[in-house]
Amino acid sequence: MADLSCTFAGIKSPNPFWLASAPPTDKEYNVVRAFEAGWGGVVWKTLGEAGPPIVNVNGPRYAALYSQDRRLIGFNNIELITDRPLEVNLGEIARVKRNWPDRAVVVSLMVPCEEDAWKAILRMVRDTGCDGVELNFGCPHGMSERGMGSAVGQVPEYIEMVTAWCKHYTRLPVIVKLTPNVADIKPPALAAHRGRADAVSLINTVNSVMGVDLDKLLIHPHTGRTGSHGGYCGPAVKPIALAMVAEIARTPAMAGLPISGIGGIETWKDAAEFIALGAGNVQVCTAAMTYGFKIVEDLCSGLSEYMDSKGFANIEAFRGRAVPSIVDWNALDLNHVEKARIDQDLCIQCGRCHVVCEDTSHQAITATKDGRRHFEVIDAECVGCNLCVSVCPVPDCITMFALQPGEIDARTGRMVEGSYANWTTHPNNPARVNA
C-alpha cells in the first residue's frame, strides 16, 4: 500500500486530507467526529481577537448552485469567523490536540492589521499546543468590510508586513491563506514568501452573488429583505484553484514554498490533480458539508489505489510532476496537429456534435441520413478544437488523435513536422519569417 502520510511545513499528519477552516471545524464536537472518521488534520475555524462577540445572521447563510440532476456544484456562504468566545475555542483546541496527538491541528487567525493584536493572539494560540497557524487573508465578505480578510490579502505590502510580524512573534509554522479575488496570484504569494511564510494555502472563496429570487426580486440568499455578497466555493471553483496553485508552483522565485491546495476537492482524483500541480496536501470543506465526514474513506482509498497503480510510494513521488506541462501560451507547440474521430458503434445519433460544430465552430462534421443518422468528421475542416468531445454525452464516443510527423494535414495540405520546443523556433513565428 502507498504511504499517504505527509509532512507539510513541518507538520505531520497520517494522510494529506485536512478539513479547511470553515463550519465543519468550528468546535471540538465536529473536529472529534472528523478525526474518528479518518481525516489527517483540520484548520480550526478562524478565531478573532478577544472582545465583543462576532454576530452572524440568524437566517440563510448558504446558497447552492446545482446541476440539472440536482448535484451541488457551487456553494456560497455569508458566514463570518467563529462567533464562539475565544477562550472556549482555545480550551477545545488544546483538548483536541492533547487527545489526538497524531493529527494536524492548525488554527486559522484573523485580527485587525495591528502588530499588537497579532502578537497577543499568537501568544494565546501557542499555549494550546497546536501545530501551526493559518493567517486568513482571504475571506471576501463581512470581515473584509472591517479591514481584514481579503482587504489584507489584496495588498501585497500588508501580507508581507503581517506575515513578518507573525514570524517574529511565534515559532509555530505560519501558513498564509491567499484570496483568489486578485488579478494575479503571484504578487500576494511572493509577498508572503518575502515575509518568510512557511507555506501558503489557496484558494479562499471567490466573491460572488449566487442569484436572484425572481418571485420576490431579492438577492439569494437573503435575510429579511436584504442580502449580501458572499464567498463562492465547491466543485465549480476547482479550475480557478488549480490555475493559481500551478502559477505559484512554477514560479522560480517561490521554488520550494509548500502549497496547501484548496478549492472544489470532492474526489481522490481532484486531490491527485492538486498534488500533481505542486500541492503538498489538500484542504476540503464543501464536499464534507455536502456528504459528511465519511467521504475521507473514499478519498484515502482512492488516492492509495491510484498511487499503487502508478508505482508512487508516497505523496512526494508525484508531487509537482505535472507542473512542467504548464507553459505560457507562446511556448505551445504549434506544429502539433490533432483531429476528432467518432466511434460509430458508440454513437447514439443525438447530433449534438454536428449542431455545435455547424453553428459555432468549423463546420467539420457532416450529417447524413440513410436509415439512421450518421455523423462523420471532415479532416479538411477539423482544427482539433475538442468542442465535439466536450459536448458529446457518451464517454469516449468522440476522441482526439494526433497526426504523426510525415502525415499530411488535410486542412492545410502541409506535412506534419516534428514538434518545436516553443514559439520562438516555430517557422510560423513572424519574427523568424521577417528575419
Side-chain angles (χ1 to χ4, degrees):
M1 293 288 289
D3 179 10
L4 294 185
S5 65
C6 69
T7 300
F8 179 79
I11 303 170
K12 295 181 179 180
S13 60
N15 63 62
F17 298 106
W18 293 8
L19 285 170
S21 169
T25 62
D26 189 33
K27 60 177 72 73
E28 181 180 10
Y29 177 83
N30 302 77
V31 172
V32 168
R33 282 180 62 85
F35 285 164
E36 288 173 344
W39 290 87
V42 300
V43 181
W44 204 276
K45 185 170 169 67
T46 306
L47 309 185
E49 62 182 345
I54 293 291
V55 178
N56 273 294
V57 296
N58 289 304
R61 302 177 185 182
Y62 311 134
L65 177 68
Y66 299 101
S67 64
Q68 290 183 342
D69 62 355
R70 189 71 181 175
R71 175 172 170 260
L72 190 150
I73 57 176
F75 198 62
N76 171 283
N77 86 91
I78 59 169
E79 187 166 307
L80 302 180
I81 64 175
T82 184
D83 53 11
R84 302 168 69 239
L86 178 60
E87 62 274 13
V88 171
N89 274 297
L90 294 173
E92 291 184 2
I93 292 167
R95 190 157 53 245
V96 167
K97 184 57 193 177
R98 184 168 62 249
N99 293 336
W100 296 86
D102 68 322
R103 309 301 173 91
V105 178
V106 173
V107 180
S108 176
L109 300 175
M110 183 193 296
V111 296
C113 206
E114 301 166 359
E115 186 172 0
D116 286 344
W118 285 99
K119 179 181 179 180
I121 198 163
L122 285 167
R123 182 183 299 117
M124 289 185 280
V125 168
R126 175 198 62 198
D127 294 337
T128 66
C130 70
D131 298 297
V133 295
E134 183 180 79
L135 314 185
N136 186 344
F137 295 156
C139 186
H141 60 274
M143 305 308 295
S144 58
E145 288 90 329
R146 310 179 194 199
M148 294 179 276
S150 64
V152 176
Q154 292 168 335
V155 184
E157 293 79 8
Y158 292 172
I159 294 174
E160 180 177 359
M161 176 179 69
V162 177
T163 304
W165 289 344
C166 293
K167 286 297 295 178
H168 178 72
Y169 290 116
T170 186
R171 293 184 179 180
L172 292 170
V174 174
I175 304 167
V176 172
K177 191 172 188 179
L178 300 174
T179 177
N181 301 294
V182 292
D184 185 351
I185 197 65
K186 293 192 293 296
L190 285 165
H193 196 39
R194 289 193 301 271
R196 296 188 299 113
D198 296 284
V200 293
S201 59
L202 67 158
I203 59 173
N204 207 310
T205 52
V206 180
N207 195 24
S208 61
V209 170
M210 283 302 282
V212 173
D213 182 328
L214 292 177
D215 290 325
K216 300 178 181 179
L217 294 181
L218 298 175
I219 186 177
H220 179 66
H222 52 267
T223 300
R225 300 292 299 175
T226 58
S228 180
H229 64 100
Y232 189 56
C233 54
V237 308
K238 180 183 134 187
I240 299 170
L242 287 173
M244 292 187 170
V245 165
E247 277 302 291
I248 295 173
R250 75 188 190 96
T251 300
M254 291 180 279
L257 178 65
I259 303 169
S260 183
I262 313 171
I265 297 163
E266 191 172 83
T267 69
W268 70 264
K269 290 183 179 179
D270 299 327
E273 290 177 32
F274 274 90
I275 294 168
L277 286 176
N281 74 357
V282 295
Q283 296 184 34
V284 179
C285 172
T286 305
M289 294 182 72
T290 306
Y291 302 110
F293 288 151
K294 287 290 187 179
I295 64 165
V296 73
E297 296 175 2
D298 290 337
L299 294 174
C300 287
S301 62
L303 183 61
S304 179
E305 289 174 13
Y306 164 75
M307 291 169 61
D308 284 342
S309 71
K310 294 292 184 180
F312 299 139
N314 51 48
I315 298 296
E316 288 300 308
F318 75 104
R319 184 177 65 84
R321 291 277 288 271
V323 173
S325 69
I326 298 183
V327 297
D328 293 339
W329 196 97
N330 60 7
L332 295 175
D333 178 10
L334 299 187
N335 202 49
H336 182 80
V337 178
E338 291 194 22
K339 303 291 182 182
R341 280 288 179 269
I342 301 173
D343 186 330
Q344 299 301 331
D345 292 332
L346 293 176
C347 180
I348 60 173
Q349 300 94 50
C350 68
R352 288 182 63 184
C353 60
H354 166 70
V355 170
V356 299
C357 189
E358 194 74 13
D359 286 354
T360 70
S361 196
H362 294 84
Q363 298 76 53
I365 298 179
T366 63
T368 58
K369 190 171 183 180
D370 183 13
R372 56 176 278 176
R373 301 201 316 162
H374 186 81
F375 304 95
E376 288 283 356
V377 176
I378 309 170
D379 282 355
E381 302 297 334
C382 180
V383 300
C385 71
N386 207 52
L387 176 61
C388 56
V389 177
S390 300
V391 302
C392 179
V394 181
D396 300 322
C397 177
I398 307 178
T399 54
M400 304 300 297
F401 75 96
L403 269 61
Q404 299 303 308
E407 292 189 67
I408 301 297
D409 182 352
R411 188 175 71 88
T412 64
R414 296 178 182 175
M415 180 182 293
V416 176
E417 302 177 25
S419 296
Y420 289 85
N422 54 51
W423 179 236
T424 60
T425 60
H426 197 282
N428 291 343
N429 185 344
R432 287 177 55 85
V433 173
N434 295 335

